Amino acid sequence: MGTLRALCEYCNLMSDSDAPWTVGRYVVEQLAANGIDTVFGIPGVHTLELYRGIAATGIRHVLVRHEQNAGFAADGYARACGKPAAAFVISGPGVTNVLTAVGQAYSDSIPMFVVASTPVRSSLGKRWGVLHELNDQGAVVAAVAGQARTAFSSEAVRDHMRALFAALQLERPRPVYLGVPLDLLGESTALRPERFARFATNIPVSDETIREVVELLDSADRPVIIAGGGAREAADEIRKLVEAIDGYVITTAAGKGLIPECHPANLGASLQFRDMQELVAGADVVLAVGTELSETDIYTTTRLPMTGRLIRIDRDPAKLSDHYAADVAICGDARTTLRAITGAVARRPGWRTDAGEASAHRREIERHFGGAARAAISALGAIREALPSDGIVCTDMTQIAYLGNYAFAADQPGVWFLPSGYGALGYALPAAIGAKIACPKRAVIALAGDFGLQFTLQELMTAVELELSLPIVVWNNNALGQIRDDMQAAGIPPVGVAARNPDFIALARACGADGIRARGTTELVEAVQGALRRPGPTLVEAVDTDFLPP
Ligand SMILES: Cc1ncc(C[n+]2csc(CCOP(=O)(O)OP(=O)(O)O)c2C)c(N)n1
Ligand SMILES: [Mg+2]
């Protein structure tokens, strides 16, 4: 025991725990004290002080190859394990680089904690042309993040961090940002880290409101539940409620897998299909829970046509009074509210018993699929077969993912990650790296198009360096396929939609990854399973024409 203690003391002496208490060190220790265990970042001369003492905190720093990918990785990390990670970026270009990922996380309600330096206080707003100058950096970030705060003293660092951690718990999850000037980061401080207050997030809803909802549902002949990512924690309650009222549930892509795909009431993430929009239009009561009902949840129209009464449940009050005016609006958390509703609603046979199980509606949707869609569905089926049920698929803005939103069978929530709202190309690979770091024991894959993958392909080196067992499936249709199809549909002669691709497999091998082409579904299952057994990443090329039905 004595030897062990001596060893620990020796290690402490050798570690950075004796590092001086600069504000930079204080920021990192404060993050650690409040549950941040992973930082994705790229250090620079402006953020040196953030790196002082980082080893002593136990925080893991993951060096990425571009700040956008620090943000995407933090996003994938949070989607996988539910906890925010941090991103450390330098003033100016580090900040503007990370903003695309911040915008993505904002639109999909994903938490992350971005910390950036700014140039020295005396230079701010003066346009002296100092290194990494970005005029009004805080305002630039504020236009994109949930909250952006800049500290000008060590006490302000503490106060802002307290407020930002509170926002991460109490508000709709969004990325938050703390800016700290370079000279302040290097100042010494007497402050020491503290664990800020934890907040209970159960918002009680009045009995009267619950009665109002129950009355609406009890008198409904054709009730539909639309469930989004905010309803993930209420999966059980949604299943019980939809069974009791004998209606249907449709999810958004973020709510995908809330209840098993084959459940007789589950129409899946199908709001983009005309048949399902008509079903919603014909519903006499729609209960929308944990969803923004945004354009990217629906895709083919900005606003779902609805004629029935609308009940909305959301913890974000702003969502209750947007372009879908609710007849009953509940600001509350999904689980508590739905539990109360389910406990009081009358159980009866009704619409679904008469109109048929979800599978009949799904067959009707799928009847319209052409050859290209069927090829993508075969590949999605192979990926499904290769993955365990809790395997995570990080997708991109590619045709196979748009279809997979609906067609990939997810029997639990939190396994299908799509850069939905902001629609930023290049998400899949860095997000998969973040997800794999968050959940090393789970199978994680990236699924990207041939063009989108090239936005962030440099992160292959991060995955190689970390020896992440990560299949990266490239859906290669040798085109910016969706845009080409959209141009064709609009009668525009195709311009800028065919790009020369690299030899993906040779490129992967040059990076120290493995590379393999999977010709058809059997090979794709084997390639993904083989890649999941390998210690490092494997790029698996799936060329669309290899998957066309005979
Ligand atoms: C940052 C960014 N730039 C541009 C776009 C517009 N965009 C959407 S899909 C797409 C083409 C993607 O091609 P690919 O990755 O090969 O997927 P495919 O449609 O061929 O399946 C483009 C350019 C975007 N979504 N994000
Ligand atoms: Mg393509």
Side-chain angles (χ1 to χ4, degrees):
M1 197 57 201
T3 320
L4 188 63
R5 183 169 309 134
L7 189 66
C8 291
E9 278 165 10
Y10 175 74
C11 289
N12 279 341
L13 279 175
M14 295 307 291
S15 80
D16 288 332
S17 61
D18 275 353
W21 276 92
T22 62
V23 171
R25 177 177 173 195
Y26 170 69
V27 169
V28 180
E29 298 256 9
Q30 195 62 278
L31 289 170
N34 287 282
I36 299 287
D37 58 17
T38 304
V39 171
F40 299 94
I42 300 180
V45 69
H46 275 198
T47 54
L48 293 178
E49 284 300 332
L50 283 177
Y51 288 78
R52 190 188 291 284
I54 195 169
T57 62
I59 286 184
R60 178 178 193 182
H61 182 270
V62 178
L63 176 67
V64 289
R65 267 56 177 180
H66 188 288
E67 288 87 353
Q68 173 184 236
N69 305 333
F72 283 153
D75 174 316
Y77 179 99
R79 291 193 207 214
C81 72
K83 270 185 12 168
F88 284 1
V89 298
I90 60 156
S91 337
V95 169
T96 44
N97 280 349
V98 83
L99 278 184
T100 294
V102 170
Q104 186 61 62
Y106 181 95
S107 69
D108 288 354
S109 306
I110 306 298
M112 75 178 61
F113 204 117
V114 179
V115 181
S117 50
T118 79
V120 294
R121 278 166 287 188
S122 58
S123 75
L124 294 178
K126 312 228 173 101
R127 298 197 189 245
W128 290 343
V130 297
L131 178 67
H132 301 328
E133 186 173 275
L134 168 62
N135 194 46
D136 217 350
Q137 180 173 300
V140 172
V141 182
V144 187
Q147 283 210 31
R149 291 162 170 254
T150 305
F152 297 102
S153 68
S154 54
E155 288 72 24
V157 168
R158 178 198 57 212
D159 295 346
H160 286 326
M161 288 186 86
R162 188 194 295 117
L164 294 174
F165 273 108
L168 284 172
Q169 295 175 66
L170 292 171
E171 294 171 10
R172 172 183 280 273
R174 303 282 198 197
V176 299
Y177 161 91
L178 176 72
V180 190
L182 170 58
D183 52 333
L184 178 56
L185 279 173
E187 271 179 15
S188 63
T189 178
L191 294 177
R192 293 296 176 266
E194 61 197 288
R195 190 168 170 89
F196 299 130
R198 306 273 113 183
F199 298 94
T201 48
N202 286 8
I203 308 166
V205 178
S206 78
D207 294 346
E208 197 189 324
T209 311
I210 298 293
R211 259 198 306 279
E212 224 181 312
V213 172
V214 169
E215 266 167 35
L216 274 179
L217 287 173
D218 280 347
S219 62
D221 291 323
R222 294 178 310 284
V224 168
I225 298 173
I226 302 178
R232 270 173 55 169
E233 87 247 18
D236 234 30
E237 286 74 14
I238 288 177
R239 186 181 49 73
K240 286 182 187 145
L241 180 60
V242 77
E243 286 171 359
I245 61 180
D246 205 25
Y248 295 99
V249 57
I250 302 181
T251 68
T252 65
K256 189 172 172 58
L258 261 170
I259 64 177
E261 207 85 51
C262 61
H263 188 284
N266 187 5
L267 296 165
S270 57
L271 282 174
Q272 68 273 37
F273 299 113
R274 190 190 304 257
D275 289 357
M276 291 301 107
Q277 291 174 11
E278 282 169 8
L279 184 123
V280 172
D284 54 357
V285 173
V286 175
L287 187 154
V289 51
T291 170
E292 296 189 81
L293 293 172
S294 64
E295 186 192 16
T296 49
D297 295 321
I298 303 158
Y299 261 110
T300 47
T301 168
T302 324
R303 192 183 184 287
L304 278 174
M306 284 191 204
T307 55
R309 312 292 296 277
L310 176 62
I311 304 158
R312 293 191 75 173
I313 304 168
D314 207 292
R315 64 190 268 199
D316 178 359
K319 283 294 126 198
L320 301 171
S321 55
D322 58 12
H323 60 316
Y324 291 92
D327 295 290
V328 186
I330 299 179
C331 183
D333 74 284
R335 195 193 296 160
T336 322
T337 311
L338 286 173
R339 196 169 283 169
I341 295 168
T342 308
V345 87
R347 210 188 157 82
R348 79 286 177 157
W351 189 25
R352 180 156 46 86
T353 303
D354 295 340
E357 294 192 348
S359 55
H361 294 278
R362 286 182 178 237
R363 275 194 296 279
E364 197 50 34
I365 291 173
E366 288 157 28
R367 221 163 46 82
H368 305 294
F369 288 165
R374 286 182 199 283
I377 285 179
S378 309
L380 288 164
I383 293 169
R384 173 70 287 168
E385 195 182 327
L387 288 180
S389 61
D390 71 341
I392 293 172
V393 187
C394 295
T395 70
D396 220 294
M397 294 304 281
T398 159
Q399 292 185 310
I400 195 169
Y402 310 144
L403 191 65
N405 279 341
Y406 166 75
F408 184 80
D411 288 336
Q412 62 184 76
V415 298
W416 178 262
F417 302 170
L418 176 87
S420 179
Y422 210 46
L425 272 178
Y427 173 83
L429 175 54
I433 289 172
K436 188 69 186 175
I437 286 170
C439 302
K441 296 213 170 90
R442 283 171 73 179
V444 176
I445 76 161
L447 172 61
D450 51 307
F451 191 68
L453 180 68
Q454 294 178 62
F455 273 55
T456 52
L457 189 51
Q458 70 272 35
E459 295 307 328
L460 200 50
M461 286 315 304
T462 307
V464 167
E465 191 167 79
L466 300 174
E467 295 184 353
L468 296 181
S469 174
L470 186 69
I472 300 147
V473 179
V474 191
W475 181 245
N476 187 356
N477 52 16
N478 275 298
L480 290 69
Q482 184 59 45
I483 313 305
R484 173 201 57 202
D485 293 356
D486 290 342
M487 280 185 185
Q488 268 164 6
I492 299 167
V495 180
V497 288
R500 180 172 168 165
N501 282 330
D503 178 338
F504 284 112
I505 291 166
L507 185 60
R509 291 186 181 150
C511 293
D514 203 355
I516 185 170
R517 176 162 170 190
R519 291 181 164 80
T521 51
T522 312
E523 287 187 18
L524 184 53
V525 175
E526 278 166 17
V528 172
Q529 285 180 338
L532 287 170
R533 285 192 297 268
R534 267 196 85 237
T538 308
L539 190 143
V540 180
E541 184 178 12
V543 177
D544 61 341
T545 46
D546 286 341
F547 293 81
L548 283 171

